[in-house]
Amino acid sequence: MNYRKRKKMYNFIANMVLIIFVCLAIAPIIWMVITSLMTQGEIVTGKFGVPMHFVNYLEMWEDVNFFQYFKNSIIICTSTTAVALSIATLAGYAVARFKFPGSNIFGATVLATQMVPGIMFLLPLYLMFIQIQDILGIRLINTYQGVVIVYSAFFIPFSIWILRGFFASIPLELEEAAIIDGCSRFGAFVRVILPVARVGLIATGVYIFLMAWDELLFAWVLTTSADVATIPVGIRLYVGNYQNRYDLLMAAGCVTTLPVLIMFFGLQKYFVTGMTAGAVKG
């Protein structure tokens, strides 16, 4: 067997393996959509009927205050993305451009924080929030700002690492030319560096938003009211209240997944390019 035939065979095998993995990845999503259009009886008996029952989505919105959970998730995730991305952008630029004692160690330490399981912070963080409320009178539990602070603290380190590599890949001569033309250092950063780094900023923002959208553990502990609970918490409560209504549960899962899919596929090229560049450069 010559080289060309071996290469074709290897490519065929690789493509078949890739197709199998893709099918395994999307099969649960397809099953979720199909199940959301079935009645409870059809799910129990395993028989799929026609027509499809879109009434499950209407019933889901009526039985549970799903719009409130959806609004809470939008507010919390958008605020987290804005706060974390702003801080990570400034910190990533500083680490990439300025050399100070311990700068290399700082960069490694930022990434090392992601190796600690988040659950280890749960109880200390909850007790700390209680102490802040008792001593300072600042309420952080069961509030938007409390969840945003926690999420921002978790997602900023990895965001700094991504943006650090992206800023380091931008030629320093661009800033020097802008400064020669009359810009201040901050002006060059805003007018030159940020537009050039927009792909990395978009990718990092998508990462932060998606991670915040799916987070359950801390949201479950820090939000005890439907007024501030996010969609994962709402679905978790939904399971407890309607644990036999799998049709409504799957409808809720579809509604939750749709905004994430729209955002990811709409910004896919920025996300893939930005994550790859930030991971290998710097």
Side-chain angles (χ1 to χ4, degrees):
M1 185 180 298
N2 58 33
Y3 172 77
R4 183 172 298 179
K5 290 183 178 180
R6 287 199 306 269
K7 185 177 180 180
K8 289 183 178 180
M9 180 176 295
Y10 292 152
N11 290 338
F12 175 78
I13 294 175
N15 289 333
M16 291 304 298
V17 172
L18 180 61
I19 291 174
I20 292 173
F21 278 106
V22 170
C23 291
L24 291 175
I26 66 175
I29 300 176
I30 296 175
W31 179 248
M32 178 180 66
V33 175
I34 294 175
T35 307
S36 70
L37 301 174
M38 299 170 64
T39 64
Q40 182 68 10
E42 290 171 343
I43 296 175
V44 173
T45 58
K47 297 179 181 179
F48 182 70
V50 180
M52 297 176 289
H53 302 276
F54 292 97
V55 70
N56 290 339
Y57 291 87
L58 297 177
E59 189 174 349
M60 175 202 67
W61 287 95
E62 294 173 356
D63 289 349
V64 177
N65 192 9
F66 205 78
F67 177 77
Q68 182 66 38
Y69 297 133
F70 189 86
K71 183 186 73 172
N72 295 338
S73 287
I74 292 295
I75 293 174
I76 290 175
C77 295
T78 303
S79 301
T80 300
T81 302
V83 173
L85 186 59
S86 299
I87 297 175
T89 299
L90 297 175
Y93 175 78
V95 174
R97 282 290 188 258
F98 303 109
K99 297 301 180 182
F100 52 88
S103 59
N104 294 329
I105 298 177
F106 175 79
T109 304
V110 165
L111 188 59
T113 59
Q114 303 302 295
M115 301 178 185
V116 181
I119 194 172
M120 294 182 63
F121 302 109
L122 186 59
L123 182 57
L125 187 64
Y126 184 79
L127 296 176
M128 184 178 67
F129 278 7
I130 292 178
Q131 291 296 319
I132 291 175
Q133 182 172 342
D134 292 340
I135 297 174
L136 302 178
I138 301 176
R139 184 183 174 193
L140 294 176
I141 297 177
N142 208 33
T143 61
Y144 288 143
Q145 56 267 29
V147 181
V148 170
I149 291 173
V150 172
Y151 283 179
S152 299
F154 284 159
F155 304 143
I156 283 174
F158 189 68
S159 301
I160 292 175
W161 184 72
I162 297 174
L163 293 175
R164 171 182 176 270
F166 225 93
F167 286 130
S169 67
I170 299 176
L172 183 60
E173 290 76 11
L174 291 177
E175 290 178 78
E176 295 175 345
I179 294 174
I180 292 174
D181 289 339
C183 285
S184 63
R185 188 63 181 261
F186 184 75
F189 170 72
V190 173
R191 298 180 181 181
V192 177
I193 300 302
L194 290 185
V196 174
R198 66 182 181 277
V199 174
L201 296 174
I202 293 174
T204 307
V206 172
Y207 157 77
I208 296 171
F209 188 91
L210 295 183
M211 293 296 292
W213 185 270
D214 293 335
E215 205 283 326
L216 172 61
L217 180 61
F218 285 86
W220 176 259
V221 174
L222 298 177
T223 58
T224 58
S225 170
D227 294 334
V228 293
T230 58
I231 282 181
V233 176
I235 292 181
R236 178 64 184 84
L237 294 173
Y238 200 58
V239 173
N241 295 330
Y242 303 94
Q243 53 184 323
N244 294 325
R245 293 301 305 272
Y246 298 110
D247 52 343
L248 303 186
L249 181 61
M250 293 299 103
C254 291
V255 173
T256 303
T257 306
L258 186 59
V260 176
L261 290 178
I262 293 175
M263 171 176 284
F264 179 80
F265 286 111
L267 302 174
Q268 182 181 15
K269 62 178 181 179
Y270 299 106
F271 184 76
V272 174
T273 303
M275 292 294 286
T276 303
V280 300
K281 295 181 181 180

